[in-house]
Amino acid sequence: MGDENQTGMIHFHFHPFSAVPGVQMLIFVAFLLMYLVSVLGNGTIGLIIWIDHSLHSPMYFFLANLAALEICYSSTIAPLTLVNVRSMGNSFISLLGCGTQMFFFIFLGSSDCIVLAVMAYDRFVAICQPLRYTLIMRWRLCVQLAAGSLALGFTLAVPLTVLIFQLPFRGNSEIGFFYCDVLPVILLAHADTRVHEAIVFAVSVVVLTIPFLLITASYVFITAAILRIRSAEGRRKAFSTCSSHLTVVLLQYGCGSLIYLCPSSSYSPERGRVVSVVYTFITPVLNPVIYGLRNRELKNALKGALRRHLLPPLF
């Protein structure tokens, strides 16, 4: 840390969404409901995949990993945000606490994006090389891909977080955001941050642009393969396994690109708050809805589990 960081305890407080208590309460209730639905929905997906042996396949293994990441990702942001909204922006976070939150935000968010790219590869193999699918997507490779996603996210998060929190910060400052995001914290530093902003952009390219290009390439081949399927039912089934994933990809990568792949000179905290609400609260809620409503196997497994465990047996 710089000298300014060592001279005393530094705290940040977050910018309130509104100065009107009634509006803040509505926001609190909305955020709380979205967080609970996200945890319940993603937790249900993970549990159903775990207990239903018919879903023990690479596609659902990666979906369960995505659901677990979404729960952890939401839990990194939502509880502190709820405290801040309830206190009308009067809650504080220490420099260490802010760094910890930023680390997990980068780690889990990066891993989330990479897992989405891995899921696209799984769909590419399943549709373009169906006869070799079980040979290629062995369980050992699936575990390696999932672990590799976490390892790459961790590798990106550690040096970036350390680099940012070596910047000099002073006193008690207001973050123009509702959590310790990268760019709002950098704006509080009393130093030239052009190098740091360039590094953040480079990391964003690694996390967003490269995986998105790989996903796009996968779907080009997938689309070509689907169009070669003769039966309408076969095309519908192949497309249905990809449409849910593609919807989540567009939401996740679209929101991330609006924040981290734009020039820092055009960065707007107001726009950033709105977009961040989408990918920190709304997207984790939509994931189980999108996958649950569009995936017939998952819906059937859920109905079967409810019948077995909740409904009384008929005699």
Side-chain angles (χ1 to χ4, degrees):
M1 299 289 177
D3 293 339
E4 292 88 343
N5 291 355
Q6 297 176 0
T7 55
M9 289 295 294
I10 296 175
H11 292 84
F12 298 135
H13 64 96
F14 300 101
H15 185 78
F17 282 91
S18 173
V20 181
V23 175
Q24 284 283 97
M25 179 56 66
L26 288 176
I27 294 173
F28 174 83
V29 172
F31 281 3
L32 178 61
L33 289 176
M34 285 190 286
Y35 175 57
L36 294 177
V37 171
S38 169
V39 172
L40 179 62
N42 285 292
T44 300
I45 286 179
L47 181 62
I48 291 299
I49 292 173
W50 181 53
I51 64 176
D52 194 308
H53 292 283
S54 68
L55 300 180
H56 289 185
S57 65
M59 181 178 77
Y60 292 106
F61 170 75
F62 293 125
L63 179 56
N65 276 268
L66 181 67
L69 283 172
E70 291 289 3
I71 293 174
C72 297
Y73 180 76
S74 297
S75 300
T76 299
I77 306 297
L80 186 61
T81 300
L82 291 170
V83 171
N84 173 57
V85 173
R86 190 69 181 88
S87 65
M88 293 289 293
N90 292 321
S91 61
F92 291 84
I93 186 171
S94 67
L95 196 66
L96 178 60
C98 189
T100 302
Q101 187 186 49
M102 183 183 293
F103 163 75
F104 281 106
F105 169 73
I106 299 171
F107 167 42
L108 297 170
S110 301
S111 301
D112 198 313
C113 290
I114 298 165
V115 166
L116 287 173
V118 170
M119 293 173 73
Y121 174 72
D122 172 70
R123 291 299 83 206
F124 162 75
V125 177
I127 294 174
C128 298
Q129 302 185 46
L131 299 179
R132 300 181 60 205
Y133 179 73
T134 55
L135 180 64
I136 296 174
M137 298 303 297
R138 292 170 296 177
W139 280 111
R140 181 178 180 182
L141 177 62
C142 294
V143 172
Q144 289 173 340
L145 289 171
S149 301
L150 294 174
L152 183 55
F154 182 86
T155 302
L156 293 172
V158 171
L160 184 57
T161 305
V162 171
L163 181 70
I164 291 172
F165 282 88
Q166 285 180 339
L167 287 166
F169 298 98
R170 299 174 186 169
N172 297 324
S173 304
E174 180 185 85
I175 300 177
F177 233 58
F178 56 94
Y179 65 95
C180 290
D181 197 4
V182 176
L183 295 177
V185 171
I186 288 179
L187 290 176
L188 298 178
H190 292 264
D192 185 353
T193 60
R194 285 176 294 181
V195 173
H196 298 74
E197 291 169 8
I199 294 173
V200 170
F201 182 80
V203 171
S204 301
V205 169
V206 172
V207 172
L208 295 170
T209 305
I210 295 176
F212 184 75
L213 291 176
L214 294 174
I215 292 172
T216 303
S218 296
Y219 274 103
V220 168
F221 290 105
I222 288 172
T223 302
I226 291 176
L227 293 177
R228 289 196 297 268
I229 298 175
R230 295 183 178 181
S231 68
E233 177 63 21
R235 287 196 298 270
R236 187 202 62 79
K237 184 176 180 181
F239 179 75
S240 66
T241 63
C242 299
S243 58
S244 300
H245 174 257
L246 192 56
T247 303
V248 174
V249 165
L250 293 176
L251 282 170
Q252 186 83 353
Y253 282 85
C255 292
S257 299
L258 286 174
I259 298 295
Y260 301 107
L261 294 180
C262 292
S264 57
S265 58
S266 65
Y267 175 75
S268 167
E270 291 75 20
R271 184 188 68 182
R273 277 198 299 271
V274 174
V275 176
S276 294
V277 167
V278 174
Y279 67 74
T280 56
F281 280 94
I282 298 178
T283 301
V285 171
L286 291 179
N287 281 356
V289 174
I290 292 170
Y291 281 108
L293 293 179
R294 298 183 66 89
N295 190 295
R296 183 179 298 177
E297 291 180 339
L298 199 58
K299 285 193 293 185
N300 291 337
L302 178 59
K303 291 176 183 178
L306 290 176
R307 283 196 297 266
R308 289 193 302 271
H309 299 287
L310 295 182
L311 299 180
L314 298 177
F315 295 98

